[in-house]
């Protein structure tokens, strides 16, 4: 009691005296608290100078340092010791010093190294974006678009793995994995017992449960959200729709699970809820984790209180749907036809066996099959 | 005859056992350190000796010890890195197998200096029979009161534990070793924090090579000032070299660091010259990860000076014309050896041993191996050589641990010095399958350096 109050007082005193560190990143100055990493200091500045991060996840302790996309050059260590750091450093795991100067996009060396890292990450990646559910919200897609080369120099067979069902809710497609370890940290820090991990070493390492078993825990669904690529996907959503055809809306519900915040994004088309995810910020990190009940079992609009459309960054392919402030284009045909309605040869909905709007695609288990549309 | 400090008594029958070791002056250093010197005096002596880490990097040991954090109430650990897995290096094996008490004595003195009450020997899994030797020696030492509680009545407690690895090269990297010792997957940690602050079980830890710890014994025996008189300049003392390859007398040699590379290869005291009277083509002086040197650059530096077996002289000229003493795995290649094949062998090793944690090493090592395989088996293209250079350049320095560098350096050095051999492989794919490139011009005297005007 005595000790703790003493410590508390000390802490307040420290907070008052706490000196902020001045850091310069790409010649932009920012003042941050001691202990901040270079990456987070850059995020405080924002914009183009923020290094990309594939494995770092601010909500997961100990993550980062592995993918090497966030490498930066420290051209001045600190005011006290101005020597530059001899190698490029992982900005997500290097803390700032007072007076540090960092070059990211202003250093050709960094850009060169980053290009190399992107090439390495894509070396064994299948590039099956056209059939990948992550396409459109994939960090590797964004990264290679921004920093990668337009062709590969790799002439060998790519490494492949079999697809694995980690239970009936999560699909593991190891071939796409970039081994960021985020899902391992998620299971470690969110669930009671981690049931999966990394097996093997080198380019043969894989995410696995060792002996095939299902991941079963009320928070394990978050591994889908933290996965930067399409290695871990939602079985209840796989092949149901492309993300950019869906309308993300913020919604919440009173979740029974005390650890779950119940604040989610519903990905809808019409009144159909195709999938539920946590809310992600502009760095693709979730704001708060959600439980598996919210994610997998509440696929009805009635379960949710809708708050409104989610803001998606303008350059994202998801916002190509233009679902906010949309102006319906004027139907020119009516004008041309002097007010007459265009004559349809037939109504496709009444003729076709597929395209039946009364069938909810999101309620069908697995990919839709023609059998699902039989009358 | 060169003077010896570590292997001076190796020839004595039964030196493996406590009684023989003790009656030949063993444990005198431990007695001296614990009874008459304090921990600070030991550290001072090691600092004075200029002893440098024998595991490869050559970092001053005294300085490393002085970095260890000493927070109140937190235990400190000493870990002996016996995970000797570098191709070409087998010196620690000799020490542990034949003079285990030297290592244990070194561990006692070093733990005393660091204030560590537990020391761990992390030994390579493939050295399956050595843990028994070490454990027997530890039991003997414990029986005689050199381990356990209140050693020699000084109040100093120490236990030594032997832990076997499971056969991963990466666990020789100090933080991967610590992870493995804790029972986890042997992935290197991201530094900082360094082990001196947060190591084993998040406590301050020093990780030293077997030979480094053994070298502490003669330092205490003869004193740091006397130790400096061995060797040259900043390369003080003696170094164990494990020589292998095309030489007449492969084996472990203790050299005083004041002889030339030429003497080491050709004198009868050491390697005894090249086997079958062949000519020397190339040499990797410090274990598989250090750059390979052609004969002309090996014996003389680019400046035309004689190259010596010291840290400085072998590194003279940087990576452009020099190499490294590394861990002392001295691999000699004669005129019949193929550099491309040799490089492929190393690339395969590093590909196999990469832990897969960070992307450049995980993906790049495999890529280099595949490209090298193409060149070696007559399917290469001229552009592959530049591609290899580019891949190694993008791995080097961009990885979490030095394994990435270790994988990149041999490839870089092979292309730097033996590019025409690579080109010959590409240009004559059929011929390259049946015969070797040979010595070519690799032993020709270098053009005399022109003085800058």
């Amino acid at each position: 009691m005595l000790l703790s109050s003493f410590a508390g007082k000390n802490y307040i005193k420290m907070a008052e005296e706490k000196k902020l560190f001045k850091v310069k990143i790409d010649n932009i100055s920012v003042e941050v608290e001691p202990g901040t990493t270079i990456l987070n200091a850059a995020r405080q500045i924002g914009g183009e100078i923020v290094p990309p991060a594939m494995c770092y996840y601010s909500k997961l302790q100990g993550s980062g340092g592995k993918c090497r996309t966030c490498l930066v050059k420290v051209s001045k260590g600190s005011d006290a010791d101005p020597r530059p750091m001899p190698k490029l450093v992982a900005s997500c795991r290097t803390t700032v010093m007072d007076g540090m100067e960092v070059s990211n996009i202003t250093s050709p060396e960094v850009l060169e190294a980053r290009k190399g890292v992107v090439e390495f990450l894509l070396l064994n990646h299948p590039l099956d974006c056209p059939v990948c559910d992550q396409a459109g919200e994939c960090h590797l897609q964004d990264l290679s678009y921004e920093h990668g080369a337009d062709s590969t120099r790799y002439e060998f067979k790519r490494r492949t793995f079999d697809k694995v069902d980690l239970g009936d809710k999560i699909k593991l497609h190891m071939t796409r994995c970039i081994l960021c370890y985020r899902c391992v940290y998620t299971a470690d820090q969110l669930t009671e017992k981690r049931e999966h991990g990394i097996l093997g070493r080198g380019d043969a390492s894989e995410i696995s449960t060792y002996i095939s078993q299902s991941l079963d825990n009320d928070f394990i669904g978050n591994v889908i959200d933290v996965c930067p690529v399409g290695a871990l996907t939602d079985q209840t959503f796989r092949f149901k729709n492309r993300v950019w055809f869906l309308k993300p809306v913020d919604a919440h519900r009173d979740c029974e699970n005390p650890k779950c915040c119940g604040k989610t994004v519903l990905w809808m088309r019409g009144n159909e809820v195709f999938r539920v995810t946590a809310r992600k910020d502009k760095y693709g990190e979730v704001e708060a984790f959600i439980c598996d009940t919210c994610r997998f079992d509440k696929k009805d609009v009635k379960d949710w209180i809708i708050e409104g459309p989610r803001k998606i960054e303008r350059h994202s392919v998801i916002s190509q749907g233009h679902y906010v402030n949309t102006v319906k284009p004027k139907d020119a045909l009516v004008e041309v036809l002097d007010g007459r309605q265009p004559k349809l040869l037939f109504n496709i909905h009444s003729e076709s066996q597929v395209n039946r709007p009364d069938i909810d695609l999101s309620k069908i288990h697995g990919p839709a099959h023609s059998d699902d549309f039989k009358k | 005859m060169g003077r010896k400090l570590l292997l001076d008594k190796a020839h004595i029958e039964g030196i493996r056992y406590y009684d023989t070791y003790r009656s030949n002056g063993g444990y005198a250093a431990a007695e001296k350190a614990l009874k008459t010197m304090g921990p600070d005096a030991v550290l001072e002596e090691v600092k004075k000796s200029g002893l440098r880490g024998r595991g490869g990097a050559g970092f001053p040991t005294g300085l490393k010890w002085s970095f260890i954090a000493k927070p109140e109430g937190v235990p400190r650990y000493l870990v002996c890195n016996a995970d000797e897995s570098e191709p070409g290096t087998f010196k620690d094996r000799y020490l542990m197998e034949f003079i285990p008490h030297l290592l244990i004595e070194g561990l006692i003195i070093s733990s005393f200096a660091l204030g560590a009450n537990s020391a761990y020997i992390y030994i390579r899994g493939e050295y399956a029979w050595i843990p028994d030797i070490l454990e027997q020696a530890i039991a003997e030492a414990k029986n005689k009161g050199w381990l356990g509680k209140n050693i020699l009545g000084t109040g100093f407690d120490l236990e030594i534990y032997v832990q076997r690895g499971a056969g991963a090269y990466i666990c020789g990297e100090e933080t991967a070793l610590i992870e493995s010792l804790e029972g986890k997957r042997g992935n290197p940690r991201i530094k900082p924090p360094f082990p001196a602050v947060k190591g084993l079980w998040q406590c301050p830890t020093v990780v030293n090579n077997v030979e480094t710890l053994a070298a502490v014994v003669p330092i205490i025996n003869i004193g740091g000032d006397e130790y400096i008189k061995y060797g040259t300049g900043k390369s003080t003392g003696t170094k164990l070299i494990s020589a292998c390859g095309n030489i007449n007398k492969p084996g472990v040699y203790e050299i005083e660091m004041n002889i030339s590379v030429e003497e080491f290869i050709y004198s009868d005291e050491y390697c005894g010259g090249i086997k079958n009277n062949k000519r020397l083509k190339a040499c990797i002086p410090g274990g598989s990860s250090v750059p390979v040197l052609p004969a002309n650059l090996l014996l003389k530096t680019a400046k035309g000076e004689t190259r010596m077996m010291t840290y400085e002289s072998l590194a003279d000229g940087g990576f452009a014309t020099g190499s490294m003493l590394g861990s002392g795995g001295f691999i000699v290649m004669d005129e019949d050896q193929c550099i491309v094949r040799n490089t492929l062998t190393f690339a395969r090793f590093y590909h196999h041993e990469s832990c897969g944690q960070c992307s450049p090493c995980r993906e790049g090592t495999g890529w280099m191996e595949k490209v090298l395989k193409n060149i070696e088996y007559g399917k290469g293209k001229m552009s592959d050589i530049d591609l290899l250079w580019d891949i190694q350049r993008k791995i080097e320095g961009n990885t979490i641990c030095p394994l990435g560098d270790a994988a990149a350096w041999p490839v870089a050095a092979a292309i730097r010095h033996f590019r025409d051999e690579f080109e010959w492989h590409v240009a004559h794919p059929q011929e390259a399958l049946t015969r070797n490139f040979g010595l070519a011009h690799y032993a020709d005297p270098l053009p005399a350096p022109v003085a800058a005007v």
Side-chain angles (χ1 to χ4, degrees):
Chain A
M1 173 69 201
L2 229 169
L3 253 177
S4 67
S5 67
F6 182 70
K9 250 183 215 162
N10 244 2
Y11 183 76
I12 294 164
K13 211 170 134 198
M14 266 172 66
E16 280 166 1
E17 286 171 6
K18 196 157 24 179
K19 198 174 154 272
L20 294 179
F21 281 176
K22 274 202 188 82
V23 195
K24 241 187 197 174
I25 300 172
D26 283 339
N27 294 321
I28 304 172
S29 292
V30 66
E31 286 193 6
V32 295
E33 280 180 26
T36 313
T37 60
I38 299 175
L39 182 79
N40 281 330
R43 283 185 178 181
Q44 288 186 22
I45 299 171
E48 278 176 42
I49 59 116
V50 183
M54 297 296 289
C55 64
Y56 172 75
Y57 209 77
S58 60
K59 313 288 183 301
L60 299 172
Q61 220 185 357
S63 66
K66 301 184 198 305
C67 69
R68 317 306 283 176
T69 51
C70 70
L71 289 176
V72 292
K73 188 179 171 66
V74 176
S75 42
K76 181 185 167 196
S78 67
D79 278 337
D81 181 6
R83 286 176 303 170
M85 291 192 185
K87 289 183 189 176
L88 302 183
V89 296
S91 59
C92 62
R93 289 294 295 264
T94 312
T95 48
V96 296
M97 302 296 276
D98 199 16
M100 188 185 257
E101 284 174 21
V102 179
S103 330
N104 178 22
I105 55 172
T106 50
S107 158
E109 194 187 337
V110 170
L111 296 180
E112 178 82 22
R114 192 165 292 154
K115 208 170 167 185
V117 172
V118 176
E119 186 172 26
F120 287 133
L121 283 175
L122 291 176
L123 216 54
N124 278 305
H125 191 80
L127 291 173
D128 57 347
C129 312
V131 295
C132 177
D133 281 288
Q134 191 84 4
E137 52 178 14
C138 173
H139 292 193
L140 190 59
Q141 249 181 350
D142 295 346
L143 182 78
S144 39
Y145 190 74
E146 277 162 39
H147 301 282
D150 49 7
S151 63
T152 181
R153 296 182 290 171
Y154 190 67
E155 296 171 338
F156 305 92
K157 217 178 151 215
R158 283 163 198 254
R159 169 188 68 210
T160 52
F161 294 89
D162 291 337
K163 296 185 195 81
V164 182
D165 282 338
L166 301 175
D168 60 344
K169 297 295 194 317
I170 304 169
K171 186 88 165 182
L172 168 63
H173 197 350
M174 188 56 215
T175 311
R176 293 174 184 154
C177 178
I178 57 160
L179 286 165
C180 67
Y181 284 62
R182 278 182 188 177
C183 59
V184 179
Y185 288 108
T186 308
D188 260 341
Q189 292 168 28
L190 249 60
T191 67
E192 273 140 35
K193 193 163 168 283
R194 173 155 67 85
E195 295 162 307
H196 74 287
I198 313 274
L199 286 190
R201 72 176 179 215
D203 56 9
S205 5
E206 56 173 315
I207 303 282
S208 174
T209 52
Y210 185 43
I211 298 165
S212 287
Q213 65 178 44
S214 60
L215 295 185
D216 191 17
N217 191 294
D218 52 358
F219 274 86
I220 197 68
N222 288 299
V223 295
I224 299 166
D225 276 348
V226 300
C227 183
V229 293
L232 292 164
T233 47
D234 185 342
Q235 296 247 52
T236 65
F237 176 63
R238 264 170 84 80
F239 305 126
K240 289 283 164 58
N241 225 314
R242 310 272 13 180
V243 287
W244 58 87
F245 291 146
L246 300 177
K247 180 170 97 173
V249 292
D250 282 344
H252 66 267
R253 64 183 278 270
D254 268 336
C255 188
E256 322 59 63
N257 196 323
K259 287 197 290 181
C260 175
C261 66
K263 289 179 184 158
T264 62
V265 178
L266 306 183
W267 296 76
M268 305 176 59
R269 192 166 184 181
N271 265 337
E272 234 182 303
V273 179
F274 274 81
R275 67 163 179 172
V276 182
T277 65
R279 297 181 185 175
K280 293 186 183 178
D281 63 16
K282 62 175 165 178
Y283 299 112
E285 295 177 1
V286 304
E287 287 163 11
F289 293 105
I290 60 168
C291 72
D292 284 11
T293 317
C294 289
R295 183 186 303 274
F296 297 125
D297 302 332
K298 302 289 173 193
K299 294 282 186 76
D300 203 325
V301 203
K302 280 175 276 177
D303 296 329
W304 298 94
I305 300 155
I306 308 259
E307 293 165 21
R310 175 133 193 103
K311 277 216 162 58
I312 297 284
E313 259 191 88
R314 195 172 53 83
H315 69 260
S316 166
V317 69
I318 297 171
S319 65
Q320 296 309 301
H322 294 300
Y323 54 89
V324 273
N325 304 329
T326 46
V327 180
K328 217 172 176 189
K330 211 168 71 185
D331 191 353
L333 211 53
V334 183
E335 223 166 89
V336 173
L337 291 175
D338 295 330
R340 281 171 292 144
Q341 286 294 323
K343 200 185 254 173
L344 285 171
L345 287 177
F346 56 86
N347 183 344
I348 186 118
H349 292 302
S350 59
E351 295 297 318
S352 171
Q353 298 244 309
V354 289
N355 262 348
R356 285 174 53 201
D358 52 314
I359 292 172
D360 279 354
L361 285 174
S362 63
K363 302 248 167 70
I364 297 167
H365 181 74
H369 187 266
S370 63
D371 287 350
D372 295 320
F373 299 98
K374 281 194 179 139
K375 287 199 174 162
Chain B
M1 280 292 277
R3 293 181 292 176
K4 288 181 182 174
L5 291 169
L6 295 171
L7 303 184
D8 53 342
K9 298 188 195 86
H11 61 280
I12 299 169
E13 180 105 8
I15 194 78
R16 205 182 114 177
Y17 301 103
Y18 176 82
D19 292 333
T20 323
Y21 181 75
R22 178 75 171 137
S23 59
N24 283 284
Y27 287 101
E31 200 168 0
K32 182 177 170 190
L34 265 64
K35 278 192 172 159
T36 63
M37 302 163 76
D40 294 338
V42 175
L43 174 62
E44 218 29 64
E45 222 45 64
V46 172
K47 269 188 179 167
K48 241 194 284 174
S49 74
L51 175 66
R52 293 170 67 171
R54 303 293 197 226
F59 191 79
T61 307
L63 197 59
K64 190 177 196 173
W65 286 8
S66 63
F67 285 154
I68 193 167
K70 293 181 174 169
E72 203 58 41
V74 177
R76 281 165 247 156
Y77 295 105
L78 174 63
V79 177
C80 168
N81 185 347
D83 192 78
E84 179 181 54
S85 321
E86 178 108 341
T89 310
F90 43 90
K91 61 184 178 64
D92 297 341
R93 165 182 163 179
Y94 186 89
L95 269 181
M96 292 186 289
E97 205 172 344
F98 296 103
I99 335 175
H101 282 286
L102 187 66
L103 171 62
I104 290 162
E105 191 179 356
L107 274 166
I108 296 169
I109 302 168
S110 312
S111 304
F112 178 66
L114 293 163
N117 299 114
S118 306
Y120 294 86
I121 303 175
Y122 184 92
I123 186 161
R124 176 181 185 197
E126 286 90 334
Y127 286 172
W129 65 100
I130 300 181
D132 296 341
I133 299 173
L134 289 172
E135 272 171 354
Q136 190 192 358
I138 290 168
E140 282 178 327
K142 199 167 179 177
N143 264 340
K144 303 289 177 183
W146 293 100
L147 292 171
K149 296 245 172 261
N150 195 13
I151 299 164
L152 302 184
T154 55
F156 173 63
D157 307 335
L158 178 67
E159 290 292 345
I160 299 179
Y161 306 94
V162 182
Q163 173 65 41
R164 267 184 74 184
Y169 172 69
I170 189 66
C171 290
E173 199 276 339
E174 57 179 3
T175 53
L177 188 155
I178 289 171
E179 286 278 298
S180 174
L181 201 53
E182 288 180 3
K184 301 180 193 151
R185 182 187 161 86
N187 276 358
R189 291 179 183 169
I190 293 144
K191 287 169 272 189
F194 289 92
V197 181
K198 275 185 178 172
L200 187 61
W201 318 116
Q202 299 295 312
C203 298
T205 306
V206 165
V207 184
N208 276 140
N209 180 257
V210 173
E211 192 191 339
T212 316
L213 291 166
V216 173
V217 177
I219 290 173
I220 298 303
N221 268 331
I222 62 175
D225 290 328
E226 196 61 31
Y227 191 81
I228 295 188
K229 293 180 187 160
Y230 291 73
T232 18
K234 282 187 176 168
S235 300
T236 58
T238 61
K239 173 93 185 81
L240 295 184
I241 303 285
S242 52
C244 62
N246 307 110
I247 43 174
N248 280 319
K249 287 163 59 192
V252 178
Y253 297 100
E254 180 172 9
I255 59 158
E256 200 181 325
M257 286 194 268
N258 60 3
I259 62 166
S260 70
V261 176
E262 194 165 5
E263 186 189 344
F264 183 70
I265 296 178
Y266 289 103
S267 85
D268 282 333
E269 192 188 339
Y270 303 112
C271 302
I274 309 292
K275 225 171 183 172
N276 303 327
N277 289 319
K278 300 258 183 190
R279 290 168 298 172
L280 173 72
K281 179 178 181 180
C283 173
I284 300 159
S288 65
S289 358
V290 312
V292 57
L293 284 180
N296 48 12
L297 274 174
L298 177 73
L299 304 179
K300 290 238 188 307
T301 65
K303 287 178 233 154
E305 293 159 6
T306 308
R307 209 181 275 279
M308 308 295 285
M309 292 290 284
T310 63
Y311 286 99
E312 290 77 25
S313 181
L314 277 170
D316 189 281
F319 278 4
T321 60
S323 184
M324 278 168 81
L325 180 58
S327 56
F330 199 82
I331 308 170
V332 181
M333 288 182 269
D334 70 15
E335 55 189 305
D336 289 342
Q337 304 308 314
C338 172
I339 295 294
V340 179
R341 185 159 195 97
N342 178 69
T343 313
L344 168 64
T345 308
F346 287 159
R348 186 171 60 220
F349 174 78
Y350 289 110
H351 171 214
H352 185 248
E353 295 296 344
S354 166
C355 77
Q357 193 182 199
C358 61
S359 22
C361 175
R362 177 180 68 232
E363 308 291 352
T365 49
W367 193 6
M368 288 201 298
E369 189 205 333
K370 291 190 182 95
V371 175
L372 276 164
K373 212 171 189 171
N374 268 358
I375 298 177
E376 167 66 14
Y377 291 106
K379 284 181 266 177
K381 299 191 292 267
M382 278 300 171
S383 61
D384 282 347
I385 302 169
D386 291 323
L387 176 64
L388 268 179
W389 183 264
D390 197 52
I391 301 171
Q392 70 81 18
R393 198 169 56 88
K394 281 176 173 157
I395 300 175
E396 193 207 339
N398 293 342
T399 53
I400 294 176
C401 80
L403 192 140
D405 302 342
W409 291 343
V411 176
I415 298 178
R416 186 183 292 121
H417 300 305
F418 298 91
R419 195 177 177 109
D420 26 11
E421 186 163 349
F422 279 83
E423 286 172 357
W424 179 79
H425 265 259
V426 174
H428 305 86
Q430 282 305 314
E431 208 181 339
L433 292 176
T434 52
R435 79 174 186 92
N436 278 329
F437 190 55
L439 182 63
H441 55 86
Y442 296 129
D444 294 354
L446 291 167
V450 184
V453 183

